[in-house]
Amino acid sequence: MAQPATQIVNEKQTYTYEAMFLISQAVASDLNSVVEHINEILHRGHATLLAMRKWDERRLAYEIKGQKRGLYILAYFTTVGENIAHIERDCNLSEKILRAMILRCDHMTKDQIEAADDRKGLEVEAKLRSERAASPAASAAVVTEASSDEGDETSN
């Protein structure tokens, strides 16, 4: 009697990916919500976030949606290859993300990816940006009040 054929289980391969997200300056003022938004997109794509950090903030080579400057956020994550299309679609539909580029990350070791993680630094910068966004409103009120006082003195 013949032995039963061994069934080959079709397990889906998980890969490590590197994603670069371009965020506008206006949206970057609330950096905490941007980081949460990226985390939500990756979660919906069944990805496991390994590392995330701010890469750079610079002038763009050309305007994108009226923006001349942008903030780049670099993220490393693992997921099944077929989920990348869903993540890219969510990025393209997002109003917070100007552009996103996702590549396989076979060139880095797990230790290198862990060394690139700066989520704590992102939290600190998000706090500083929110404080900075709140303070110009207060200082603008002081400047407006001071300029109206100067106008009163010159009319006397």
Side-chain angles (χ1 to χ4, degrees):
M1 196 156 169
Q3 298 247 348
T6 308
Q7 292 183 352
I8 298 174
V9 178
N10 187 11
E11 292 187 23
K12 297 177 183 175
Q13 182 67 35
T14 300
Y15 297 103
T16 303
Y17 293 91
E18 176 178 43
M20 181 71 73
F21 300 97
L22 175 60
I23 311 298
S24 73
Q25 287 289 97
V27 173
S29 63
D30 189 9
L31 190 57
N32 201 26
S33 72
V34 170
V35 170
E36 289 174 11
H37 183 66
I38 292 171
N39 284 331
E40 177 62 27
I41 288 174
L42 294 176
H43 178 73
R44 282 195 308 255
H46 306 289
T48 303
L49 183 65
L50 302 175
M52 183 184 292
R53 69 182 177 100
K54 174 185 166 186
W55 183 70
D56 200 6
E57 192 168 348
R58 60 173 59 182
R59 181 170 166 65
L60 303 175
Y62 54 91
E63 281 189 26
I64 301 174
K65 296 182 183 175
Q67 300 294 316
K68 294 181 180 182
R69 295 189 62 79
L71 172 76
Y72 292 88
I73 295 178
L74 182 62
Y76 297 95
F77 60 92
T78 59
T79 191
V80 176
E82 66 188 28
N83 293 337
I84 295 300
H86 301 294
I87 294 170
E88 287 177 335
R89 181 178 182 276
D90 282 351
C91 290
N92 290 335
L93 293 174
S94 172
E95 293 183 10
K96 292 185 178 186
I97 299 173
L98 294 176
R99 293 281 192 276
M101 183 171 65
I102 302 173
L103 302 171
R104 281 264 304 270
C105 187
D106 296 331
H107 65 281
M108 292 180 71
T109 66
K110 187 175 180 177
D111 292 336
Q112 290 173 322
I113 291 172
E114 288 174 3
D117 192 13
D118 191 25
R119 286 180 261 191
K120 297 291 183 196
L122 273 174
E123 288 177 19
V124 169
E125 182 157 351
K127 184 178 178 184
L128 290 173
R129 284 178 183 264
S130 64
E131 289 172 359
R132 193 179 325 147
S135 65
S139 62
V142 171
V143 170
T144 305
E145 186 177 297
S147 62
S148 65
D149 289 343
E150 290 173 8
D152 293 340
E153 290 174 8
T154 55
S155 62
N156 287 339

